[in-house]
Amino acid sequence: MKRPSRSRERAASELFAALYPRLAGWCRRLVDDDGTAHEIASEAFTRLWARWTSVAEPQGFLYVTAANLVRDHWRKLERERRAIRRVTAEAAVSPDAQPDDPSVRLLVQSLPDRLRVPILLHYYADMPIREVSVLTGRKEGTVKADLHAARELLRAHLRRSLDHTR
């Protein structure tokens, strides 16, 4: 791996000193959390450093990157809010699930981790397959196959449960 030149490191260090506080403050106003704002600002600088030689306008790159990361943060918060509302609504509808109740929630809980995690992320947290793939460290095709296998297991469990109740 090639070592960055001293002048490149100095220029990056000067840019960081000049822009980081302002960028982090801007992010703070958008996300209303110091820790998240600093994570976003740091990530923007990390992405700039990775492309340092090919970026013509570093300040613009930093702000566009930070804006995209803020947008991703907002989307994540909205998915979490929807999931919480959904879970709260489910709890209000059926607060006392019976042990032999063939509810989907209980069946999902009984799935092995390998299948349960993608189901929870994709269907309950409303994440696209691409994002589930990134979060789980699996290829998209593997996530799709796991989702299919989980649905088939759930379908079989529901059929058996319904056959026993007749």
Side-chain angles (χ1 to χ4, degrees):
M1 182 174 192
K2 191 173 136 181
R3 175 130 170 88
S5 70
R6 289 279 181 218
S7 63
R8 178 178 174 217
E9 285 179 358
R10 186 173 28 260
S13 180
E14 289 170 1
L15 183 71
F16 183 84
L19 294 180
Y20 183 84
R22 188 170 165 209
L23 181 65
W26 180 73
C27 292
R28 169 67 174 87
R29 287 187 300 278
L30 294 172
V31 298
D32 199 31
D33 178 67
D34 283 333
T36 303
H38 284 285
E39 286 176 25
I40 290 171
S42 296
E43 179 63 22
F45 271 96
T46 300
R47 291 181 185 189
L48 173 63
W49 179 252
R51 294 167 185 80
W52 184 253
T53 58
S54 63
V55 174
E57 180 51 50
Q59 183 173 352
F61 179 89
L62 286 169
Y63 276 87
V64 168
T65 301
N68 288 337
L69 292 168
V70 166
R71 186 189 65 232
D72 291 346
H73 173 75
W74 288 341
R75 286 178 179 163
K76 179 183 173 210
L77 287 178
E78 184 54 34
R79 281 192 306 271
E80 289 171 355
R81 284 186 199 110
R82 281 195 308 257
I84 289 170
R85 281 193 302 264
R86 198 171 323 145
V87 168
T88 304
E90 285 176 11
V93 170
S94 65
D96 298 325
Q98 299 300 320
D100 58 339
D101 178 14
S103 74
V104 175
R105 182 179 56 82
L106 292 174
L107 293 174
V108 168
Q109 287 176 346
S110 71
L111 290 171
D113 281 346
R114 178 181 67 81
L115 301 177
R116 183 176 57 245
V117 170
I119 286 283
L120 291 173
L121 292 175
H122 184 65
Y123 291 107
Y124 286 80
D126 204 26
M127 291 183 185
I129 288 173
R130 185 186 82 251
E131 196 167 337
V132 173
S133 169
V134 170
L135 287 173
T136 60
R138 300 178 194 158
K139 295 182 179 177
E140 286 185 35
T142 303
V143 171
K144 289 177 184 177
D146 287 346
L147 288 170
H148 175 74
R151 286 190 305 266
E152 289 301 312
L153 274 174
L154 293 171
R155 190 174 292 123
H157 284 300
L158 285 171
R159 277 193 193 119
R160 276 194 303 259
S161 296
L162 291 174
D163 287 344
H164 291 299
T165 58
R166 290 181 186 172

